[in-house]
Amino acid sequence: MKTRFILIQTSHAGNVGAAARALKTMGFDDLVLVAPRWPNVLRREETIQRASGALDVLHNARIVATLDEALDGMSHLCATAMTPRDFGPPTSAPRAHFESLLKRERLALTAQGLEAKNTENPALGDGVATSAETGVAFLFGCERFGMANEDVYRCHVALQIPTNPGFGSLNLAAAIQVIAYEWRQALGGFAPSEATAGAPAPAPAVVRADAAQVAGMLAHWEQALVQIGFLDPAAPKKLMPRLNQLFNRAQLQTEEIHILRGVAKAMIEAAQAKH
């Protein structure tokens, strides 16, 4: 389905660049600006910097003087408004509205297919007159005041992003990113990226040390602790059983057993060097 993002009277060049980047990450590229503050906003340095690689979206973007021009070819209009209007379209969360919209779209396309079949074969009866959407437009107002009431009234729905009730203010580019993400997910989303040739190899399988390896390591540590004078073999108390429990909780791997035995060996050699 054709998708267009429309920014009305945008005042910050950086937001235009960030909007372009948000759209590209979600696979959209139809961006229209209605009477922005800067006539050359698409070429301003801040715009280009904030686009961060989405220069193709900026290159394809259009600047128009009126909302009517921006809506050309669009049939379903979605306002973005944090504050519900007393009069105007219903307010809905993006995800719920997109599910409903696409369900209606599927039904409309099915009905069109039935109608075409009935036209070819009159014996099947009258078709169902239903039309699918030609394009969906998402409208965003200026940073300071949001969308004007008269622009909201033209829309079929006012999308309200569910946010913290105590602080629902979203930066323009952030709001665009959320809407673009939700719409992309509704359309099917993108598959997770596969590993590339230059990606690091997967980590080797973890091999847990068995009981014999743990016992051998503990015997080595007992010898080392005696050598450095930390363990009195005449009065060992419960030092080794406690160390046994400690290492059991650690769920040692084979490589870790090798490290611990290396430590024990070094302790023994250091103690013997002193004598």
Side-chain angles (χ1 to χ4, degrees), residues 217-249 267:
M217 180 272 296
L218 283 169
H220 201 170
W221 265 67
E222 182 174 13
Q223 180 186 357
L225 293 174
V226 170
Q227 287 282 341
I228 65 174
F230 189 85
L231 173 63
D232 182 359
K237 299 183 180 179
K238 295 183 178 181
L239 176 60
M240 295 315 298
R242 288 184 182 277
L243 287 177
N244 198 156
Q245 289 298 307
L246 185 154
F247 289 128
N248 282 347
R249 289 195 301 272
M267 287 192 293

Side-chain angles (χ1 to χ4, degrees), residues 12-265:
H12 295 286
N15 282 335
V16 175
R21 182 179 183 181
L23 297 193
K24 184 165 184 176
T25 61
M26 291 298 112
F28 302 113
D29 60 5
D30 192 347
L31 175 64
V32 179
L33 310 179
V34 179
R37 177 184 178 187
W38 308 101
N40 66 338
V41 66
L42 296 176
R43 300 187 301 276
R44 292 180 70 87
E45 184 65 25
E46 185 180 359
T47 306
I48 294 171
Q49 289 180 353
R50 291 288 300 279
S52 188
L55 299 183
D56 53 334
V57 178
L58 290 181
H59 179 75
N60 293 327
R62 296 182 292 120
I63 295 178
V64 297
T66 66
L67 182 56
D68 283 330
E69 296 174 81
L71 295 177
D72 182 47
M74 298 291 104
S75 59
H76 188 79
L77 312 183
C78 301
T80 51
M82 292 305 298
T83 305
R85 305 305 202 264
D86 294 332
F87 174 79
T91 299
S92 175
R95 190 171 302 177
H97 180 69
F98 296 160
E99 290 176 357
S100 174
L101 174 62
L102 292 177
K103 182 178 180 180
R104 294 200 307 269
E105 184 73 4
R106 287 190 292 270
L107 291 174
L109 293 173
T110 300
Q112 285 183 352
L114 291 174
E115 186 175 5
K117 285 185 178 181
N118 293 345
T119 301
E120 296 172 1
N121 187 354
L124 294 176
D126 293 334
V128 179
T130 310
S131 62
E133 302 292 351
T134 59
V136 175
F138 299 106
L139 283 63
F140 297 83
C142 71
E143 293 87 339
R144 289 189 62 190
F145 304 110
M147 288 189 63
N149 285 339
E150 57 267 27
D151 294 337
V152 175
Y153 297 160
R154 299 183 61 172
C155 296
H156 298 86
V157 64
L159 298 179
Q160 185 180 66
I161 299 171
T163 56
N164 176 6
F167 188 73
S169 177
L170 277 172
N171 171 269
L172 174 59
I176 292 171
Q177 185 73 79
V178 172
I179 296 294
Y181 170 80
E182 290 287 354
W183 182 231
R184 175 53 64 192
Q185 291 301 105
L187 293 175
F190 294 120
S193 301
E194 296 182 359
T196 60
V206 173
V207 180
R208 286 276 304 277
D210 60 26
Q213 289 174 315
V214 174
M217 180 272 296
L218 283 169
H220 201 170
W221 265 67
E222 182 174 13
Q223 180 186 357
L225 293 174
V226 170
Q227 287 282 341
I228 65 174
F230 189 85
L231 173 63
D232 182 359
K237 299 183 180 179
K238 295 183 178 181
L239 176 60
M240 295 315 298
R242 288 184 182 277
L243 287 177
N244 198 156
Q245 289 298 307
L246 185 154
F247 289 128
N248 282 347
R249 289 195 301 272
Q251 299 183 339
L252 296 172
Q253 301 171 21
T254 300
E255 287 297 323
E256 293 167 338
I257 289 288
H258 296 329
I259 293 171
L260 290 170
R261 294 199 71 153
V263 173
K265 180 181 178 181

